[in-house]
Amino acid sequence: MKEFDTICGIATPIGEGGISIIRVSGDKSKEIVNKIFCAKNGKSMDDMKSYTMRYGYIKDINNKDTIDEVIISFMKGPRSFTAEDVIEINCHGGVISTNKVLEEVIKAGARLSEPGEFTKRAFLNGRIDLSQAEAVMDIIRAKTDLSMKSAMLQHEGALSKEINKLREYMLNTLALIEYAVDFTEDEEEIDPDIPIKVESEIKKAIDKMHYLLKNADEGRIIRDGLSLAIVGKPNVGKSSLLNALLKEKRAIVTDIPGTTRDVIEEFISLDGIPIRITDTAGIRETDDIVEKIGVEKSREKINEADLVILMLDTSRELEEEDRKIISSIIDKNYIALLNKVDLENKISEKEIEDLNNKIYVSAKEEIGLDNLKEKIKEMFFSGSVSTESLIISNNRHKQALYRALENCETAYEKVKTNEFLDLISIYVTASLKALGEITGSELEEDLVNKIFKDFCCGK
Ligand code: GDP
């Protein structure tokens, strides 16, 4: 078992708040904190029991000046976040107080932690696997209740369980192949039952993988949000729509064409689906530099968006500019929003007959917005969003699962065409390796480090 030094880090956001927490983890955490902690009741920390707290002061290690009034808690490993001895120091939530306390902990012998190092230790110490560790970050970054629920499921090990089941099918297959190869001299004499069993194990794995991957796109949306770009010429009502959806005045609404110059990003919750809305400057040819930046950004956003909302103003006749915008999004996944239904309609059905997914709304009067929401659910979640079942939400997991599936499918084809079992075992092993990357049982150290680098400090 690799030896770990004792690390410390600020676990709460830096700023002004009621309290800040400094986390210390490792063999020496009690010893280190004991050097700078002075309990109000004068007791030493030596007899402090796991899952208890103590009130007192953090003192300057050299001159014993009082630095801050704190409460410390002790969680003895392995029953702690990192599975090591952990002490958390609750100090006053100011930038100076927090940093001063941290400084003393470092002077007393702890090393400042790297981003994600606490969670990485929980993984390296075997308390959680990699997919569970990654879920910690997803919980922290969850945008809606639904994202949170999905991350919690993964954190509790729902994905790990499925992956381990799949690995079991693969291991059974390998065992069968090994048995057959070891006990037969000649490939021709192999027990005819064995390839049949191998085929059935691989088939079970393939079916399960297909099932897990089926909702992976929905999973990604739940985790990262559905990116939505709103496009339309100036004054069609893009900011008004954004405001209506956000229910607060974020973008500036004006009558002057072309005022929404910057791309604004916001999250809204659509029955738990996080929607990342990008309001754009509208696509149009322009010489105005500032606006041009906005326009270029808009084009970029359209290409990246999961869904484009094309807005037309029904109170004005269709113009060349609208037609240009229509032609630029017609191949994309779009909804045509015909805005300003509260005013007299100047656009005939005939003119827009080629458009799909048409919805009539009034952004200002908030008419028809529910239909828009329903349409989005219909397009991306086949109408309803399930909250109970596990879905693959992390792109890294999805890629690994696809690789596992590809190898399984090749193996399956080869069994069916009676290829040598040795050859089949190569693909089964590759599939097993890809699955191991999800839970971290087969992962290069560099990759593990890269994954944890994305975490925040103190986590
Ligand atoms: P943008 O340039 O596309 O962002 O358009 P805005 O949202 O700034 O809207 C331009 C003008 O149209 C504003 O005066 C809005 O109040 C008005 N507007 C937006 N939606 C509607 C609507 O549904 N009905 C009516 N009557 N006016 C609207």
Side-chain angles (χ1 to χ4, degrees), residues 348-361:
S348 71
E349 279 286 341
K350 184 102 187 71
E351 284 175 291
I352 48 170
E353 65 183 357
D354 291 340
L355 289 177
N356 294 323
N357 300 328
K358 288 189 280 270
I359 299 174
Y360 284 88
V361 297

Side-chain angles (χ1 to χ4, degrees), residues 53-82:
M53 296 181 119
R54 213 162 263 186
Y55 168 57
Y57 303 93
I58 293 291
K59 303 266 187 186
D60 185 307
I61 193 163
N62 299 318
N63 61 22
K64 307 293 171 208
D65 279 356
T66 298
I67 304 246
D68 199 8
E69 186 189 17
V70 299
I71 289 179
I72 59 167
S73 54
F74 172 52
M75 284 138 284
K76 189 161 176 49
R79 292 188 55 220
S80 72
F81 184 76
T82 55

Side-chain angles (χ1 to χ4, degrees), residues 304-359:
E304 288 168 7
D306 295 310
L307 174 67
V308 177
I309 289 197
L310 160 73
M311 264 194 126
L312 298 173
D313 179 348
T314 57
S315 71
R316 286 186 277 166
E317 278 167 20
L318 215 58
E319 294 170 4
E320 190 47 36
E321 207 171 346
D322 293 307
R323 291 195 186 90
K324 268 194 189 159
I325 296 171
I326 291 174
S327 67
S328 73
I329 60 103
I330 203 85
D331 301 329
K332 305 269 179 298
N333 220 358
Y334 72 89
I335 291 177
L337 222 50
L338 298 144
N339 191 31
K340 310 198 186 179
V341 286
D342 54 309
L343 303 175
E344 194 194 336
N345 185 8
K346 300 264 177 63
I347 302 178
S348 71
E349 279 286 341
K350 184 102 187 71
E351 284 175 291
I352 48 170
E353 65 183 357
D354 291 340
L355 289 177
N356 294 323
N357 300 328
K358 288 189 280 270
I359 299 174

Side-chain angles (χ1 to χ4, degrees), residues 235-240 254-255 260 339-340 342-343 362-364:
N235 262 357
V236 289
K238 298 182 295 296
S239 318
S240 307
T254 62
D255 279 327
T260 318
N339 191 31
K340 310 198 186 179
D342 54 309
L343 303 175
S362 165
K364 193 174 166 191

